Amino acid sequence: MNSKLLHSRRNIGIIAHVDAGKTTTTERVLFYTGESHRVGEVHDGTTTMDFDPQERKRGITINSAATTVFWQGVQINLIDTPGHIDFNIEVNRSLRVLDGAVVVFDGVAGVEPQTETNWRLADKYQVPRVCFINKLDRVGADFARVSQMIEQRLGAKLAVLQWPIGQEAGFTGVVDLLNMQALLWHGEKAGEPYVMAPIPSDLMSVATAQRARLVEAVVEHDEQALEAYVRGEPISVETLQACIRRGTLQGALVPVLAGSAFKNKGVEPLLDAVVAYLPSPEDRHMQEAGPAAEKPLSALAFKLVADEHGAMVFVRVYTGRLRLGDVVLNASTGKKERIARLYEVHADQRIERTELVAGDIAAVVGLKDTLTGHTLCAPGHPVELEHIVVPEPVIDVAIEPKARGDQQTLGRALHVLTREDPSLRVRQDAESGQVLLSGMGELQLEVSLEKLRARFGVEVSVGQPQVAYRETIAQEVTVHHVHKKQTGGPGQFAELTLKLAPLPRGEGVQFESQITGGAIPREFIPAIEAGVRRAAQSGVWGGFPCVDFKATLLDGSFHERDSSAMAFEHAAGAAFRDAAQKAGPVVLEPVMAVEVMTPAEHLGDCLGDLMRRRGHIRDQDVRGLATVISAQVPLKEMFGYIGQLRALSSGRAQFAMHFDHYDVVPPHLQAGLSL
């Protein structure tokens, strides 16, 4: 693929907090690019991208959906991602493979908790962004205030490219600050083009000041432009656009546009900005010498969807080519896989392809052992790309099939669901035998249980949601353990010395072997690690999985005849349990970042209620006529919160929350927590 073709492509995602108008914006993009001949509406359940029955029923995006559109001769591969925090893994894995993103903001609410989470993910993956401040036709919308929030709360340096004309119901268009002209939409009918006109006289002074700010912000990204600016010379629009593009690609600038997607205002200039300022695959990943398509294959699997025909794996090709019938190496598992089918995906439609090249995002059928985060590469050139980090679940429900004969079907269905969504976990409680399904929130679990019924025909009984507690250790401990059994036949022998040390929160479980000189044969080391990890999964004190520690194998010995992998696995499990008991085990609980928006007259009641829930108040902010409280509250205390909040505020307050971190449960509350 030549350089020109690579430059005529954009791989972008649309991300936002739930209800910011993200899917509506995507539907307008489909309409204006000619991909869809009718305008889909979320409230009517007629959207193209939210094609899953549950998405249409609930009016939210659950699965990231992919499609391809064309604008000004540029191919835009577009992924619409969920806004609800429970489905954040979809945003995470999409941003990992995208080159750019459009971040949609509610013109009234501004920067909301999930927007902040998604923004940090985009920072992590160094994804250049364009901001679209949406819903400017709504009562209380304030473009200037939201722009300021983006700067202050997200730490972004903005290149404000447009200024709204009119407010709320009187919003009729935008001032294009680069070209200093007005773009007006005289009606609300989809597809009706905007009209260019002179800037209204009452906005001229604001527009002039904003353009001066814009020029000052962008010229520093080009030496010649900066010199011309310092000398007071005029700078061409083309030069300013080049400066904006350079700053955006470097992550130093974020262009900001205005509109109302629902009222069909601002969509065409947004598409222009995507083409003008967001990177092509070549800009982002292909800067080494030589064409990317002619290098050995490297591709990342970022999403898996299973249906009656088998698994379809979405991949992003970074280098090389992927052809029908190719045998590729899964570098993450060491296994080889054969490519049976290749598809270009348009929402729920598929178009067969014979080849994918560097920069492509498409679906592969025929991969049996490939999961989210795995790397596919040429067998002769193994390479492993950076993994996708999957968050730890914070909430559990116990499930069992209503019909005894559905036990096996339930097992198969859960296997499929956890392959599709890595943030779902399934485990069996060792003591009660209950199957526990764990996830990121009540909505995610509710959607998963509905999938069991609708897709797999399994009706389940569901227990009350429970907090997904964890355990960890407080201090470093070293233990020596000998596993020795002599029955009629061959005996069992394994001896080892194991050290456990606490790790910072979020580090998981780490294992290291410091065995030298063959004190324990190399082939037994994996069994020792497996023994530690299995014992940690069962917990130490309350039966909750043990996390955030490092196990180091220091020494040991073996018997030529009686030692085996099984003996060392048993020894490692027993050594871990012994060490963990001595290392001061403590229980950890998920703590949520909570944002409550309430009328000022109910502020005191809301604050008092959060404090009673063991909440830590971090900040208060005035947003329009409401006050916003930012707090950290243990998840256990947030069950049933919405009902109490409505009662406290006569139904006028609202809240959003997402997982923030795990913290130690206060000692006086740990007593009744064992499973």
Side-chain angles (χ1 to χ4, degrees):
M1 175 171 274
N2 64 37
S3 173
K4 186 178 177 186
L5 282 174
L6 276 172
H7 276 304
S8 63
R9 195 160 18 148
R10 303 288 182 272
N11 293 321
I12 69 163
I14 298 190
I15 59 177
H17 187 90
V18 67
D19 287 337
K22 176 177 43 58
T23 296
T24 300
T25 303
T26 308
E27 293 295 323
R28 296 311 186 268
V29 165
L30 295 184
F31 181 82
Y32 280 96
T33 56
E35 181 63 26
S36 173
H37 299 295
R38 62 171 175 76
V39 176
E41 301 291 9
V42 173
H43 56 270
D44 292 338
T46 57
T47 53
T48 302
M49 299 298 271
D50 285 354
F51 53 83
D52 182 286
Q54 284 210 68
E55 294 180 313
R56 291 189 167 176
K57 176 182 166 187
R58 296 172 187 271
I60 60 169
T61 304
I62 293 169
N63 311 294
S64 53
T67 195
T68 300
V69 299
F70 292 87
W71 186 254
Q72 296 179 359
V74 174
Q75 176 183 328
I76 302 174
N77 296 324
L78 178 69
I79 293 185
D80 176 28
T81 63
H84 199 286
I85 185 62
D86 286 17
F87 308 105
N88 191 242
I89 181 65
E90 294 283 347
V91 184
N92 191 336
R93 55 187 174 185
S94 297
L95 282 173
R96 172 65 181 82
V97 298
L98 292 171
D99 300 323
V102 174
V103 187
V104 180
F105 293 84
D106 184 318
V108 181
V111 177
E112 298 175 271
Q114 188 55 20
T115 323
E116 207 164 336
T117 302
N118 292 341
W119 191 275
R120 304 295 175 224
L121 277 173
D123 282 345
K124 176 183 174 182
Y125 294 125
Q126 298 180 319
V127 177
R129 276 143 274 180
V130 166
C131 292
F132 181 58
I133 299 180
N134 190 29
K135 298 190 177 184
L136 290 175
D137 59 306
R138 295 285 186 90
V139 174
D142 188 333
F143 179 84
R145 179 174 56 80
V146 175
S147 298
Q148 191 176 32
M149 286 179 76
I150 296 170
E151 283 186 310
Q152 292 176 348
R153 292 185 59 172
L154 303 178
K157 184 170 182 183
L158 303 186
V160 177
L161 305 184
Q162 298 175 344
W163 198 260
I165 299 172
Q167 284 186 304
E168 301 177 350
F171 173 65
T172 56
V174 298
V175 175
D176 174 351
L177 295 173
L178 278 176
N179 295 292
M180 285 300 278
Q181 58 187 182
L183 310 180
L184 300 173
W185 286 266
H186 289 307
E188 296 177 2
K189 189 177 176 185
E192 199 171 302
Y194 60 80
V195 175
M196 287 188 284
I199 297 170
S201 57
D202 62 331
L203 275 178
M204 184 55 80
S205 61
V206 173
T208 303
Q210 289 298 327
R211 189 181 198 275
R213 281 189 65 190
L214 172 63
V215 173
E216 185 181 353
V218 306
V219 291
E220 64 185 58
H221 297 286
D222 182 275
E223 279 188 29
Q224 289 180 321
L226 184 57
E227 287 173 11
Y229 175 76
V230 171
R231 289 195 298 266
E233 298 171 6
I235 301 166
S236 70
V237 170
E238 291 74 20
T239 300
L240 290 174
Q241 286 178 320
C243 290
I244 295 166
R245 178 173 173 79
R246 190 174 293 117
T248 304
L249 298 193
Q250 292 170 353
L253 276 182
V254 183
V256 180
L257 297 98
S260 168
F262 183 60
K263 295 294 178 67
N264 302 297
K265 294 177 171 68
V267 180
E268 307 102 300
L270 175 62
L271 283 163
D272 291 341
V274 165
V275 170
Y277 306 123
L278 289 182
S280 67
E282 186 172 81
D283 292 320
R284 281 276 285 163
H285 298 285
M286 318 299 180
Q287 288 162 6
E288 308 94 338
E294 307 315 318
K295 295 182 177 180
L297 171 71
S298 68
L300 185 74
F302 69 95
K303 181 177 170 69
L304 183 146
V305 178
D307 59 20
E308 62 273 15
H309 307 299
M312 185 165 72
V313 178
F314 285 81
V315 301
R316 160 72 191 257
V317 182
Y318 285 97
T319 57
R321 298 171 183 270
L322 190 60
R323 299 180 179 88
L324 208 60
D326 276 358
V327 173
V328 298
L329 173 68
N330 182 329
S332 307
T333 64
K335 296 181 179 178
K336 291 183 178 178
E337 302 253 40
R338 183 177 292 277
I339 308 301
R341 291 270 190 282
L342 296 172
Y343 291 110
E344 189 178 298
V345 177
H346 298 256
D348 57 346
Q349 305 296 314
R350 303 177 189 176
I351 299 171
E352 288 215 36
R353 294 270 297 268
T354 56
E355 180 184 68
L356 305 179
V357 297
D360 272 339
I361 291 177
V364 180
V365 172
L367 305 175
K368 292 183 171 59
D369 296 302
T370 298
L371 299 174
T372 294
H374 286 182
T375 300
L376 301 177
C377 58
H381 297 84
V383 61
E384 194 162 2
L385 300 169
E386 182 190 350
H387 284 269
I388 294 171
V389 177
V390 180
E392 282 293 313
V394 298
I395 189 167
D396 300 333
V397 288
I399 58 174
E400 60 180 45
K402 289 183 178 177
R404 193 177 293 275
D406 280 345
Q407 192 71 48
Q408 276 191 314
T409 309
L410 175 62
R412 285 195 300 271
L414 290 173
H415 177 67
V416 169
L417 291 183
T418 52
R419 279 171 62 87
E420 288 185 349
D421 183 350
S423 67
L424 279 178
R425 310 283 171 86
V426 175
R427 64 189 175 95
Q428 192 161 23
D429 176 38
E431 291 182 19
S432 68
Q434 285 183 312
V435 174
L436 297 176
L437 180 65
S438 307
M440 298 307 298
E442 291 181 81
L443 180 60
Q444 182 196 23
L445 295 180
E446 198 180 304
V447 167
S448 301
L449 295 171
E450 177 62 21
K451 283 180 183 177
L452 288 177
R453 187 192 63 76
R455 280 177 58 182
F456 304 100
V458 181
E459 297 280 357
V460 293
S461 300
V462 184
Q464 287 295 314
Q466 301 291 326
V467 173
Y469 291 103
R470 297 286 180 264
E471 296 180 16
T472 192
I473 56 173
Q475 60 205 50
E476 186 177 300
V477 166
T478 299
V479 297
H480 173 255
H481 185 82
V482 179
H483 175 74
K484 196 172 184 178
K485 279 192 178 178
Q486 197 69 45
T487 50
Q492 291 183 32
F493 179 84
E495 181 178 9
L496 52 85
T497 302
L498 189 72
K499 179 176 78 175
L500 294 189
L503 290 175
R505 296 288 165 265
E507 292 294 313
V509 176
Q510 297 177 14
F511 178 85
E512 180 190 0
S513 170
Q514 294 184 356
I515 294 296
T516 55
I520 298 175
R522 190 177 301 165
E523 63 265 26
F524 294 148
I525 305 297
I528 294 170
E529 180 176 357
V532 168
R533 290 184 180 275
R534 187 168 289 119
Q537 193 61 31
S538 300
V540 184
W541 174 82
F544 309 113
C546 189
V547 296
D548 300 340
F549 70 88
K550 181 176 181 178
T552 306
L553 179 62
L554 300 175
D555 199 2
S557 67
F558 72 105
H559 188 279
E560 286 285 357
R561 190 178 66 253
D562 291 348
S563 288
S564 64
M566 185 190 295
F568 273 101
E569 188 170 334
H570 281 308
F576 167 80
R577 286 187 288 273
D578 182 20
Q581 288 284 2
K582 294 173 179 174
V586 291
V587 179
L588 303 173
E589 65 180 344
V591 176
M592 312 302 282
V594 179
E595 187 173 276
V596 179
M597 186 182 291
T598 175
E601 59 263 37
H602 301 295
L603 176 62
D605 289 337
C606 291
L607 284 169
D609 185 58
L610 288 170
M611 301 284 276
R612 280 190 293 276
R613 295 172 186 270
R614 294 194 283 132
H616 169 63
I617 309 301
R618 301 184 64 191
D619 194 20
Q620 292 179 49
D621 186 24
V622 176
R623 196 176 297 173
L625 297 175
T627 300
V628 178
I629 307 165
S630 297
Q632 291 180 334
V633 191
L635 174 61
K636 179 180 186 296
E637 309 296 341
M638 293 301 293
F639 288 142
Y641 179 63
I642 185 62
Q644 178 68 7
L645 183 64
R646 285 175 181 154
L648 286 173
S649 65
S650 304
R652 296 171 64 199
Q654 54 185 310
F655 85 104
M657 70 177 184
H658 62 274
F659 171 70
D660 193 77
H661 66 283
Y662 267 93
D663 208 350
V664 176
V665 177
H668 68 280
L669 295 176
Q670 289 192 21
L673 290 184
S674 60
L675 281 177

